[in-house]
Amino acid sequence: HDDGHDDVRSTAISTEERNVLFKEQAAKEKLTSATISRSLTPIRGLFFGVYGGKCFKTQCDKLAKDRRVRNCGPGYIVRKAMATIPAELLDAPFVKTEDLAEGDVPVHISPSGCHLKRCS
């Protein structure tokens, strides 16, 4: 008889079917987060030691882990990360390391304090 209620058993997905769907989705993913992370490694420190530069690195890492974004490739991730950093950072003049005094060359820990600022 048809009382307007669907049979719950026909609409429920079994665990086995869910696992098959998960495996199919995993097979569609061409780029893993490890692959993307390796490809972004050379540019992750692009803004090292520059105020606001850590936001770029954080965005790259965040986007590399997002399944929907990482399949677009590393170039897309870099463009998206660049769009989130302040325009003044991109417009700042480039200062060659060899033009800096010995004490002004950035070291392993950024003195900028950007890590205290919340990245979007």
Side-chain angles (χ1 to χ4, degrees), residues 43-98:
I43 61 156
R44 285 178 70 236
L46 189 63
F47 297 105
F48 177 77
V50 179
Y51 184 80
K54 190 169 183 179
C55 294
F56 174 75
K57 180 180 173 184
T58 303
Q59 277 300 112
C60 283
D61 293 343
K62 179 180 167 184
L63 292 168
K65 292 176 185 173
D66 186 339
R67 288 182 184 181
R68 295 171 296 152
V69 174
R70 75 171 174 235
N71 281 332
C72 295
Y76 181 78
I77 291 172
V78 170
R79 285 194 309 271
K80 293 294 276 185
M82 295 289 270
T84 63
I85 58 178
E88 358 5 291
L89 179 64
L90 296 174
D91 294 337
F94 181 77
V95 179
K96 294 181 180 178
T97 306
E98 53 268 14

Side-chain angles (χ1 to χ4, degrees), residues 3-116:
D3 58 2
H5 298 291
D6 292 330
D7 186 5
V8 175
R9 288 173 286 163
S10 66
T11 58
I13 297 176
S14 71
T15 304
E16 185 176 319
E17 290 172 323
R18 191 172 292 130
N19 288 338
V20 169
L21 290 172
F22 178 76
K23 288 178 183 179
E24 287 174 359
Q25 178 64 30
K28 289 179 186 176
E29 293 178 9
K30 296 179 175 117
L31 299 172
T32 64
S33 59
T35 302
I36 292 293
S37 293
R38 276 194 306 272
S39 65
L40 294 176
T41 297
I43 61 156
R44 285 178 70 236
L46 189 63
F47 297 105
F48 177 77
V50 179
Y51 184 80
K54 190 169 183 179
C55 294
F56 174 75
K57 180 180 173 184
T58 303
Q59 277 300 112
C60 283
D61 293 343
K62 179 180 167 184
L63 292 168
K65 292 176 185 173
D66 186 339
R67 288 182 184 181
R68 295 171 296 152
V69 174
R70 75 171 174 235
N71 281 332
C72 295
Y76 181 78
I77 291 172
V78 170
R79 285 194 309 271
K80 293 294 276 185
M82 295 289 270
T84 63
I85 58 178
E88 358 5 291
L89 179 64
L90 296 174
D91 294 337
F94 181 77
V95 179
K96 294 181 180 178
T97 306
E98 53 268 14
D99 293 344
L100 296 174
E102 184 78 28
D104 294 334
V105 175
V107 291
H108 294 293
I109 299 172
S110 175
S112 68
C114 177
H115 62 282
L116 301 175

